[in-house]
Amino acid sequence: MSVSRAQFLKSLGASVTGLAIGSGIASAAQALAGSTTSISAATIPPVVAGPEVNNVHFIGSGPSAGNRIAITFDDGPTPGVTEVVLDELKKRNLRSTFFMIGKRVTEAPELAQRVLAEGHEVCNHTFNHLKLNTLPDQQVDWEIQKTQDTICEVTNQVPTWLRPPYGAFRKNQIGIPQSKELGVVFWSVDPRDWSQPGESAIVETILTHTKPGSIILCHDLHKQTANCVGQILDGLLERKFEFVSISSFLNHPNQKQLA
């Protein structure tokens, strides 16, 4: 089942207008400033060992040495879509990382379990997919911890990475994921597939911009992405990229030395 972005947000009980949906959402890769203004990915160069605050990394890309990349999928699990993505990964024996919304995990627990059972990494994308940089600390803590608890209960595994929805996160919020031993990871390649620009556009953007060390942002929410994921994977394999999970790419978030 593929849903529109507006339907998706409405299902989570979020206000579409309040979340400022528009061209800047997916491209706001890191919000490291003390203010609530997100910084675009183009402003911040890809990082390997930092920047870090209190020994916790904000990461936009992985090490450029070698030919490794990480392809990631946000906003699931989504019945009818996540299965297609998993099937394409399985055909090629590839590993990925899925940043799951806690509420959706409760709605499709078997699908979350399948993701883990097939060798992929399951990470935290908050419970209700809200902009964390607009929330009080207590609510941010709840959004993250509730998702940690939910994923652990369903999969028997505790996530070690957080991806804030929309890339919206403030520097002074770092203590919250740090207290849970969570690293904060963003992305360096964004095809804006959430806007459903067409399968060919998604494929072209990813194949054009991916390079060693790239962290690719996709969403297992829309059928457009699922329909073209095989083309994406084959195109990247033709360029001899090695697919790894976020943890395999970056090690534990509190380790200073990255893979």
Side-chain angles (χ1 to χ4, degrees):
M1 176 185 65
S2 178
V3 297
S4 72
R5 192 70 170 173
Q7 289 172 324
F8 163 66
L9 292 169
K10 185 177 181 180
S11 73
L12 294 174
S15 167
V16 176
T17 54
L19 292 178
I21 294 175
S23 60
I25 293 177
S27 63
Q30 296 188 2
L32 301 180
S35 70
T36 60
T37 303
S38 296
I39 304 173
S40 77
T43 307
I44 302 175
V47 296
V48 175
E52 57 180 71
V53 182
N54 296 331
N55 298 325
V56 176
H57 302 295
F58 289 78
I59 297 178
S61 63
S64 59
N67 214 30
R68 293 184 299 167
I69 60 173
I71 186 166
T72 66
F73 296 90
D74 287 13
D75 292 355
T78 307
V81 177
T82 303
E83 294 97 329
V84 177
V85 174
L86 289 172
D87 289 344
E88 296 297 334
L89 290 165
K90 188 174 183 178
K91 287 178 186 176
R92 299 160 180 81
N93 194 29
L94 301 176
R95 299 292 175 266
S96 181
T97 300
F98 290 76
F99 287 88
M100 295 188 178
I101 296 173
K103 184 175 181 180
R104 297 182 71 86
V105 172
T106 65
E107 296 167 349
E110 297 85 1
L111 196 48
Q113 291 165 357
R114 178 184 168 185
V115 170
L116 187 64
E118 294 188 2
H120 307 291
E121 184 171 17
V122 176
C123 292
N124 192 317
H125 199 44
T126 74
F127 197 79
N128 290 301
H129 203 272
L130 304 176
K131 293 183 73 175
L132 299 183
N133 64 355
T134 68
L135 304 179
D137 286 355
Q138 184 177 6
Q139 189 174 354
V140 172
D141 187 284
W142 185 91
E143 284 284 333
I144 297 172
Q145 188 60 54
K146 178 67 173 178
T147 307
Q148 289 290 94
D149 294 342
T150 299
I151 291 175
C152 184
E153 180 180 351
V154 169
T155 69
N156 199 33
Q157 181 165 314
V158 179
T160 55
W161 294 95
L162 166 73
R163 175 172 284 163
Y166 314 104
F169 201 67
R170 298 195 313 272
K171 177 180 176 179
N172 62 8
Q173 294 174 314
I174 187 59
I176 301 172
Q178 180 189 32
S179 69
K180 308 175 193 306
E181 297 189 344
L182 280 164
V184 180
V185 63
F186 296 90
W187 56 86
S188 57
V189 177
D190 179 11
R192 296 170 57 82
D193 62 329
W194 59 268
S195 67
Q196 303 187 73
E199 295 168 20
S200 61
I202 296 170
V203 174
E204 181 180 3
T205 299
I206 292 176
L207 297 187
T208 299
H209 295 286
T210 299
K211 59 185 179 180
S214 289
I215 296 176
I216 303 167
L217 171 67
C218 292
H219 296 80
D220 56 323
L221 179 64
H222 306 297
K223 286 188 176 179
Q224 279 191 8
T225 304
N227 289 343
C228 68
V229 71
Q231 298 176 57
I232 294 168
L233 300 177
D234 287 341
L236 295 172
L237 286 169
E238 287 177 5
R239 293 173 58 187
K240 308 300 181 183
F241 284 118
E242 176 187 355
F243 291 71
V244 293
S245 67
I246 289 295
S247 286
S248 295
F249 214 11
L250 306 174
N251 286 340
H252 190 278
N254 285 325
Q255 290 181 337
K256 290 180 180 294
Q257 183 63 45
L258 300 182

